[in-house]
């Protein structure tokens, strides 16, 4: 296999420049609701960054296939040797509000297996990366998940605002349960960064009751390579061909999180 890291990193850095060039999106009228849902927005920058990533990768790897947020997808391409799962801007609502907590997320799958991933936060200039069997890194420094117990844990979570009617109550029920036994909770607005932070030991547990493959693909490998655990809420392997619930944690607290998620 070619050296994907050497190809991807310069492309992603350039994509980060596109992201940080954006300002005043609401005033400029560059927003659209997906499916008429005010909680599910797309901007011209989501599309521009995605198109830039795909075209730039295709120039270097002509046989590459893609699963990405702002396009129609065929799950069968996961079986190919080079399948990139892309979220051009994870944390779009943060991005729209100029919150400064959004990222670019890219994962390479080869014949159904995650082999390389990058999550890049251009606002903090933090590049999280992982290669299967070789560890996870933050700006070149090796990362490992924390070893904190439940009572000392920071719990990160997502609210899946597109599914408030079906998942809102269960989300906050689980959040409350974990909050009452843990140290504190964090709702930051980017699942990809929540997963990257878990890999870096900044938080200790994460859950969201429904996420798309591009939300979790890169973070999945980061956590695995940093010594953490990530599954669906039943403890089964993540399915990257469809939306899925996700729980992730360091090995000390994962059993507690799994039991708690099963109970709601």
């Amino acid at each position: 296999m070619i050296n994907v890291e050497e190809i991807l990193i310069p492309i992603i850095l350039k994509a980060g420049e596109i992201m940080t060039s954006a300002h005043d999106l609401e005033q400029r009228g560059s927003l659209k609701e997906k499916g008429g849902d005010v909680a599910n927005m797309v901007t011209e920058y989501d599309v521009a960054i995605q198109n830039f990533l795909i075209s730039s990768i295709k120039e270097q790897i002509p046989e590459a296939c893609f699963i990405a947020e702002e396009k129609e997808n065929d799950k069968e391409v996961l079986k190919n040797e080079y399948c990139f799962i892309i979220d051009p801007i994870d944390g779009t609502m943060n991005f729209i509000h100029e919150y400064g907590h959004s990222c670019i997320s890219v994962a390479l799958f080869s014949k159904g297996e995650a082999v390389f991933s990058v999550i890049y936060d251009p606002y903090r200039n933090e590049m999280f990366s992982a290669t299967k069997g070789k560890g996870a890194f933050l700006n070149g420094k090796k990362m490992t998940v924390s070893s904190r117990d439940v009572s000392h844990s920071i719990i990160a979570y997502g609210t899946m605002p597109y599914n408030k009617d079906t998942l809102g109550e269960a989300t906050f029920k689980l959040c409350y349960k974990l909050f009452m036994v843990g140290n504190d909770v964090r709702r930051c607005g980017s699942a990809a960064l929540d997963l990257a932070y878990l890999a870096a030991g900044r938080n200790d547990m994460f859950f969201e009751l429904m996420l798309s493959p591009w939300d979790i693909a890169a973070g999945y490998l980061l956590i695995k390579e940093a010594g953490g655990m990530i599954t669906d809420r039943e403890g089964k392997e993540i399915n990257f061909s469809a939306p899925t619930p996700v729980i992730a944690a360091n090995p000390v607290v994962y059993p507690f999180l799994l039991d708690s998620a099963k109970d709601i």
Side-chain angles (χ1 to χ4, degrees):
M1 182 173 282
I2 61 178
N3 191 326
V4 177
E5 183 172 6
E6 286 187 358
I7 292 171
L8 271 186
I9 298 302
I11 293 172
I12 291 171
L13 287 170
K14 182 64 177 177
E17 293 177 10
I18 300 172
M19 183 189 290
T20 55
S21 72
H23 298 284
D24 303 318
L25 296 179
E26 290 178 290
Q27 289 83 352
R28 290 169 47 206
S30 57
L31 313 178
K32 289 194 297 185
E33 297 174 7
K34 290 194 278 188
D37 187 347
V38 296
N40 196 0
M41 305 290 287
V42 61
T43 76
E44 62 187 77
Y45 286 88
D46 293 83
V47 177
I49 291 171
Q50 179 172 293
N51 290 343
F52 171 77
L53 290 169
I54 290 174
S55 62
S56 299
I57 293 169
K58 286 285 279 185
E59 285 180 8
Q60 301 289 325
I61 311 173
E63 64 270 40
C65 300
F66 301 89
I67 292 173
E69 183 170 12
E70 311 304 338
K71 67 184 283 292
E72 294 295 322
N73 294 298
D74 176 6
K75 65 183 181 181
E76 293 300 314
V77 301
L78 273 169
K79 300 175 183 177
N80 293 2
E81 185 174 6
Y82 295 99
C83 178
F84 292 87
I85 302 182
I86 294 173
D87 193 340
I89 301 178
D90 188 75
T92 296
M93 197 59 70
N94 285 350
F95 177 68
I96 292 167
H97 287 262
E98 300 193 38
Y99 204 77
H101 191 78
S102 305
C103 65
I104 297 163
S105 176
V106 181
L108 171 61
F109 280 64
S110 183
K111 298 178 181 177
E113 184 176 35
V115 296
F116 181 74
S117 70
V118 175
I119 292 173
Y120 178 51
D121 177 354
Y123 300 102
R124 298 183 64 169
N125 193 29
E126 291 191 327
M127 181 79 72
F128 303 85
S129 63
T131 302
K132 186 179 182 337
K134 296 184 178 180
F137 299 85
L138 168 55
N139 291 347
K141 183 179 179 180
K142 191 172 179 64
M143 297 190 298
T144 58
V145 297
S146 74
S147 58
R148 299 182 192 99
D149 61 18
V150 172
S151 65
H152 293 90
S153 289
I154 293 289
I155 301 107
Y157 71 106
T159 54
M160 200 57 188
Y162 328 132
N163 297 93
K164 289 179 181 178
D165 292 345
T166 55
L167 298 175
E169 184 176 355
T171 293
F172 286 101
K173 181 179 178 181
L174 179 55
C175 179
Y176 178 77
K177 180 175 184 178
L178 297 172
F179 172 68
M180 294 305 293
V181 295
N183 186 312
D184 205 349
V185 296
R186 301 285 185 270
R187 163 61 170 145
C188 298
S190 167
L193 283 174
D194 282 338
L195 295 173
Y197 282 17
L198 197 154
R202 295 175 180 174
N203 64 55
D204 311 288
M205 304 184 212
F206 169 81
F207 77 89
E208 190 154 0
L209 298 185
M210 193 61 65
L211 286 169
S212 295
W214 43 81
D215 296 315
I216 53 176
Y220 169 86
L221 188 61
L222 288 175
I223 289 170
K224 288 279 200 177
E225 289 296 321
M229 304 181 73
I230 178 168
T231 65
D232 71 10
R233 64 185 283 192
E234 299 297 324
K236 298 175 183 176
E237 184 61 48
I238 297 292
N239 176 7
F240 290 98
S241 63
T244 181
V246 175
I247 63 169
N250 73 42
V252 177
V253 299
Y254 172 82
F256 177 80
L257 177 59
L258 177 62
D259 288 343
S260 299
K262 284 181 177 179
D263 284 346
I264 61 167

